[in-house]
Amino acid sequence: MNENRPTPSRRIAEDLRSDITSGRLQPGWKLPSGRELARRYGVTQNTANRALSILAAEGLIVVKTGSGTYVRESHPIRRLGPDRYARHKWQNTIVTVHADDRPDGETVEQQGGQTQDVALTEADEEIAAALGIEVGAPVYERARVMTRDNHPTHTMNSYYRREDVEGTAIVDPRPGIAGRGGGFAVLSERGLEPYEITEDISARMPTTEEALLLELPAGEPVVEVRRTTRTREGRPIEYARGVHAASRFLWSFTYPIPD
Amino acid sequence: MNENRPTPSRRIAEDLRSDITSGRLQPGWKLPSGRELARRYGVTQNTANRALSILAAEGLIVVKTGSGTYVRESHPIRRLGPDRYARHKWQNTIVTVHADDRPDGETVEQQGGQTQDVALTEADEEIAAALGIEVGAPVYERARVMTRDNHPTHTMNSYYRREDVEGTAIVDPRPGIAGRGGGFAVLSERGLEPYEITEDISARMPTTEEALLLELPAGEPVVEVRRTTRTREGRPIEYARGVHAASRFLWSFTYPIPD
DNA sequence: TAGTGGTCTAGACCACTTC
DNA sequence: AAGTGGTCTAGACCACTAA
C-alpha cells in the first residue's frame, strides 16, 4: 500500500495539519468536531475521526474526550545540562528529611514535586553491569516520579549498592530527602564523592504503563536517560534510569573537541 | 473515555503484546493475519486490524503491506559520543572530492553512504542566532542524508557563513567531500579550527516528510540534534541540524561534575 | 441533555505481495 | 490467484463533558 495515497481521511488530516502549521489554527484552539468534519467532507464520522487520530499520533493535537480536540500547546521546555549536578548545589546541603523545611538549593525544583519509593531489591543485568556487582546482588532502589504544576514530567529510578547507602537518609522512605543533590550529599558524607557522570540518552515510544503514569497524550515519545555516577577513582556509586516526556525537555552538552 | 477500558481491539493487542514481550513471538516472526485474528476472536477484520495498528503505533511490530505484520527486529544501535568528532579523525585528512579514492579516515562511516546537496540560502532565525549573523544573511546549506546498509538513518543539514566556505570543497556539490571530518578539515585550512561543540538533543514524532525520507515505520520517533561548532575564541563556524531515526542511535556523554 | 470522541459490526473494495 | 493490510460506508451504542 502506497503510504501516501490520498485517502479521504488523509486528505482531511492534511487540511487540518496545514491549518495548524500555518497558524490558522492556534495552539489551544478547538478543531471542528468529527461529526462536523464528516458533514463538511461528505464522509462518515468514522472516517473523520480517523483523520483526527492521524494528527493525534503525530502529536499535533490533543484529544479531550467528551469535550473536543484541540491544537496542542507546547510546554515550556526545560534545558538539562551538566550544571544541574553542579557541586555547589549540593555540597553544603544539610540533609533533612522533610521536604517542607529544606533550607535551600531546592529552588532548582521550584514548582516541582516528587513522590518517592525506596525498596531493597536485586540487581538485574543492566544495573549489575553499571554498578560493577553481581547479578542478583542486593541494591537499594529509589523510585521517584517528578511532577511540575501537578503533572508528572519524568521518572527517575536510582540504584545503589546496599553497603553504600545502608542506614543513610537515602534509604529513608519518607519523601523529602535528596531532591537533586541530596543523594550526592549523602554519598559524599560516606566518603564516596561523586566526580564523574555518564549519561546515555535515547528515545522511543512509551509503554502503556509509562503513558498512563506520565499522562502522555497519544503521539508523545519518551526519552530514556541512563546515568552512571562515579567517584574520582572510577568507582560507580549510583546508576539511575529515567523516563522523560519528550516534549518537555532538551538535553544540552558542550565539550571541547577531543584529540 | 477511560483510556484503558478493555475493548475487543485492545484485548487482542494486549494478548499479542504479551506474546511479544514474553518472547513467545520472536523478533522477525510473523503475527497472525487480521482476518485470522478476526476469526479467532469473533470480531470484524476491521477490529482486528485496529489491534495491529495499536501495536504498530507502539513500535512493537512492523507492517509489510500485502505480506503481513512482523515482530519488530531491533537494529544494532550506534553509540554517538564526542569521539566521533575527534581531531585525529580529520586533522590530517586530505580533502578529496570523490568518495571513491578517499585515502582513509572514512572507515568511520563504513557500510555507510550519504547524499549531498549544497545550496546558497538565507539564514532563518534559528540559524542566524546560532551563527551570530543577521536573519536573511546568506548562508551555505549542506544537506545530507546518511544511509546504512542502503537504508536512510539520519539527515544532517549544516549551515556556514558564506564568507567562511566560499570557494572551498565544502561548497562543491559533488558528493565525497567532508564525510564526518571533511568539513572540519576545510574550515581548519581556512584558519577556523573547530574547538568546541554544543549539542542540543530532543525527541518528537516525525513529520510526514521525515517519515517518508527516513523510511520510518509507524511508531518510530525521531531525535533532533542541533550542533553548534565554535573556534577556541568562541566564534561559531558551523550550525547543523540533524534528524535521526530514534531506534538506531544512542547519545553518550561523560563529564566531570561541575563546581 | 446535547455534543464529543471512541469503538464496534457488516460488508465491500483497493493495492500490494507471494506463489 | 490467493492472501495481506488499509480504508471506506452505514448505522449503532458507549462513556465522558459541559451547560
Side-chain angles (χ1 to χ4, degrees):
Chain A
M1 163 113 359
N2 184 347
E3 239 185 50
N4 279 55
R5 214 172 82 262
T7 67
S9 61
R10 276 203 272 262
R11 204 147 28 204
I12 298 172
E14 208 177 306
D15 285 356
L16 294 171
R17 194 187 295 114
S18 91
D19 282 348
I20 293 171
T21 55
S22 75
R24 281 189 294 275
L25 278 173
Q26 294 283 320
W29 290 13
K30 187 173 178 172
L31 277 75
S33 78
R35 282 165 181 83
E36 165 65 13
L37 287 171
R39 197 188 53 69
R40 243 190 248 177
Y41 284 86
V43 297
T44 324
Q45 186 215 336
N46 212 313
T47 302
N49 279 351
R50 176 177 279 263
L52 292 174
S53 71
I54 289 174
L55 298 178
E58 292 173 0
L60 284 177
I61 64 176
V62 164
V63 172
K64 295 181 184 167
T65 314
S67 163
T69 61
Y70 301 83
V71 180
R72 183 139 174 211
E73 305 186 71
S74 53
H75 303 100
I77 294 175
R78 272 182 71 188
R79 182 184 218 90
L80 302 181
D83 278 355
R84 67 192 190 282
Y85 300 122
R87 203 164 266 111
H88 69 81
K89 289 189 174 161
W90 51 267
Q91 186 105 281
N92 298 314
T93 299
I94 295 156
V95 179
T96 61
V97 182
H98 300 294
D100 303 327
D101 54 315
R102 190 174 306 147
D104 75 299
E106 289 309 323
T107 45
V108 196
E109 281 286 351
Q110 85 266 62
Q111 311 159 20
Q114 60 177 55
T115 66
Q116 168 146 285
D117 257 317
V118 175
L120 185 61
T121 156
E122 297 186 352
D124 65 22
E125 219 168 295
E126 185 185 338
I127 298 166
L131 289 181
I133 56 181
E134 302 282 310
V135 175
V139 290
Y140 270 108
E141 173 187 65
R142 183 164 61 118
R144 292 179 285 170
V145 179
M146 271 68 161
T147 61
R148 182 105 170 172
D149 303 326
N150 275 324
H151 291 287
T153 59
H154 64 291
T155 65
M156 186 58 72
N157 294 355
S158 297
Y159 300 90
Y160 308 89
R161 295 194 197 177
R162 174 156 72 164
E163 65 270 25
D164 287 353
V165 297
E166 191 89 85
T168 68
I170 286 180
V171 190
D172 192 311
R174 283 171 292 180
I177 196 264
R180 182 79 68 214
F184 283 3
V186 169
L187 288 165
S188 278
E189 286 170 16
R190 278 263 174 139
L192 297 167
E193 188 179 344
Y195 171 76
E196 184 186 75
I197 286 179
T198 295
E199 284 184 304
D200 287 356
I201 296 174
S202 58
R204 57 172 172 76
M205 290 312 281
T207 65
T208 47
E209 290 83 15
E210 289 165 346
L212 218 68
L213 179 61
L214 295 179
E215 297 175 9
L216 299 173
E220 167 109 13
V222 293
V223 173
E224 216 174 331
V225 176
R226 294 185 172 81
R227 181 181 79 216
T228 307
T229 308
R230 300 185 200 79
T231 63
R232 181 180 288 269
E233 293 74 35
R235 148 88 138 83
I237 51 180
E238 185 203 31
Y239 181 63
R241 195 161 33 188
V243 176
H244 296 64
S247 67
R248 293 171 169 272
F249 297 92
L250 179 155
W251 285 261
S252 185
F253 297 93
T254 296
Y255 52 89
I257 291 178
D259 287 328
Chain B
M1 163 119 353
N2 184 345
E3 239 185 53
N4 280 54
R5 214 172 81 262
T7 67
S9 60
R10 278 204 270 262
R11 204 147 27 207
I12 298 172
E14 208 176 306
D15 285 355
L16 294 172
R17 194 186 296 116
S18 93
D19 282 348
I20 293 171
T21 55
S22 74
R24 281 190 292 277
L25 277 173
Q26 293 282 320
W29 289 13
K30 187 172 176 172
L31 279 75
S33 78
R35 282 164 180 84
E36 164 66 14
L37 287 170
R39 199 189 52 70
R40 245 191 246 176
Y41 284 86
V43 296
T44 326
Q45 185 214 337
N46 211 314
T47 302
N49 279 351
R50 175 177 280 264
L52 293 175
S53 71
I54 289 174
L55 298 177
E58 290 173 1
L60 285 178
I61 64 177
V62 164
V63 172
K64 294 181 185 170
T65 314
S67 164
T69 62
Y70 302 83
V71 180
R72 181 136 176 213
E73 305 187 71
S74 53
H75 301 100
I77 293 175
R78 272 181 70 188
R79 182 184 217 92
L80 303 181
D83 279 355
R84 68 192 189 282
Y85 301 121
R87 204 164 265 110
H88 69 82
K89 288 187 175 163
W90 51 268
Q91 186 106 283
N92 298 313
T93 299
I94 296 158
V95 179
T96 61
V97 180
H98 301 292
D100 304 326
D101 53 316
R102 191 174 305 148
D104 75 298
E106 289 309 324
T107 46
V108 194
E109 280 286 351
Q110 85 265 65
Q111 311 159 23
Q114 59 177 55
T115 65
Q116 168 147 282
D117 258 317
V118 175
L120 186 61
T121 153
E122 298 186 351
D124 66 22
E125 219 168 294
E126 186 185 339
I127 298 166
L131 289 180
I133 56 179
E134 302 282 310
V135 174
V139 289
Y140 270 108
E141 173 187 65
R142 184 165 61 117
R144 292 178 285 171
V145 178
M146 271 69 160
T147 63
R148 182 105 171 172
D149 304 326
N150 276 325
H151 290 287
T153 59
H154 64 292
T155 65
M156 188 57 73
N157 294 354
S158 297
Y159 299 89
Y160 308 90
R161 295 194 197 177
R162 174 154 74 163
E163 66 270 26
D164 287 353
V165 296
E166 191 90 85
T168 68
I170 286 180
V171 189
D172 191 311
R174 283 171 293 181
I177 196 267
R180 184 78 66 210
F184 283 3
V186 169
L187 288 164
S188 280
E189 286 170 14
R190 279 264 173 140
L192 298 166
E193 187 178 347
Y195 171 76
E196 183 186 76
I197 285 178
T198 295
E199 284 184 304
D200 287 356
I201 296 175
S202 58
R204 57 172 172 76
M205 290 311 280
T207 65
T208 47
E209 290 83 15
E210 289 165 346
L212 217 68
L213 178 62
L214 294 179
E215 295 174 10
L216 299 173
E220 167 108 12
V222 292
V223 173
E224 215 174 330
V225 177
R226 294 187 172 80
R227 181 181 79 217
T228 307
T229 309
R230 300 185 200 79
T231 63
R232 180 181 288 269
E233 294 74 33
R235 148 86 138 86
I237 50 179
E238 185 203 30
Y239 181 62
R241 195 162 33 188
V243 175
H244 296 65
S247 68
R248 293 169 171 273
F249 298 92
L250 180 156
W251 284 260
S252 184
F253 298 92
T254 296
Y255 52 88
I257 290 177
D259 287 328

